[in-house]
Amino acid sequence: MSSTTTIYVGNLDQRVTDPMLLEYFSPMGTVSNTKIVAMHRNGPFVSPSVNYGFVEYVEPQAADRAIQELNGCKVLDYEIKVNWAQQGQQLTKEEAPSHYQIFIGDLAPEITDDVLTQAFGVFGTMVNAHVMRDTMSGNSRGFGFVAFREKADADQAIASMNGELLGSRNIRVNWATQKSQSDTPPPRPGQQLPYETVLQQTPNYVTSVYVGNLPPNTTDNDLLQPFQRFGFIQEIKLQSDRGFAFVKLDNHANAANSIVHLQGMNINGREAKLSWGKDRAPSNFSGYNNNGYNNGGQQRPQSNNWRQDRN
């Protein structure tokens, strides 16, 4: 852990999860890791309702910006304390919380934490459910997270609730952190693909996402709003009259994550169809074995049924 890129976040509401922490802090810069530490202390002067955590950024400037802008901000019911992490404090992926987080997308505006809790509370070991809201307006951002103690219950919730009607919309349900769920079974036709599958469809230099089935009245802002939470947007090329666009993000992993979570999102009344775009290979590119490419840079045959016809 670097003392120049890692910050301490104190006074965290116990309902805040790692994906939520990532959501709050990623606008300041690219986040490489997060960790929430659950507090179990007792005593007359110790609040049992708060945890603390750490956020590690790629760039020191982003960490400094987060401290300047987010210290004292109210997250749920508590004003968080943000400062530099002290030496000796550890932030490791091996110490990730034991809860299993799932992502709930396409939430209708009327869905609240209580409604989400009622809908997913039937699946055994649910710990908490939370709808993400805009910090200024308080309006729903159209997605949320649900945490379970047991993976089997999270699996059952995904299998049972994906595509189901909740309020006035059919919701999308999938793992919030795909990398930790490598044994997730392949989705049925029309569902999202697992993160690792999407990640390996193209080489690491590809960071552009194709967005199809767009209505003619689509604007850059319609694409900026949903994509910006997954990373820095470097470019948007919109062809609204032809019904598609390309969104270029800052790295391959963030682009893959956006494809997973935004597949089928509603843009002005239509379900967007997402897949990989095409980027020019760098001059030193010679293929990536770990992403299904041989040393000649040629892709191995694999199913791409999830891709949409762009003609």
Side-chain angles (χ1 to χ4, degrees), residues 111-125:
I111 300 301
T112 63
D113 289 0
D114 289 341
V115 173
L116 207 59
T117 299
Q118 292 174 9
F120 286 86
V122 298
F123 299 102
T125 59

Side-chain angles (χ1 to χ4, degrees), residues 11-14 47 49-50 73-80:
N11 212 35
L12 280 175
D13 191 297
Q14 287 189 339
S47 170
S49 302
V50 295
C73 289
K74 191 170 184 180
V75 177
L76 298 183
D77 294 334
Y78 295 88
E79 290 186 2
I80 61 174

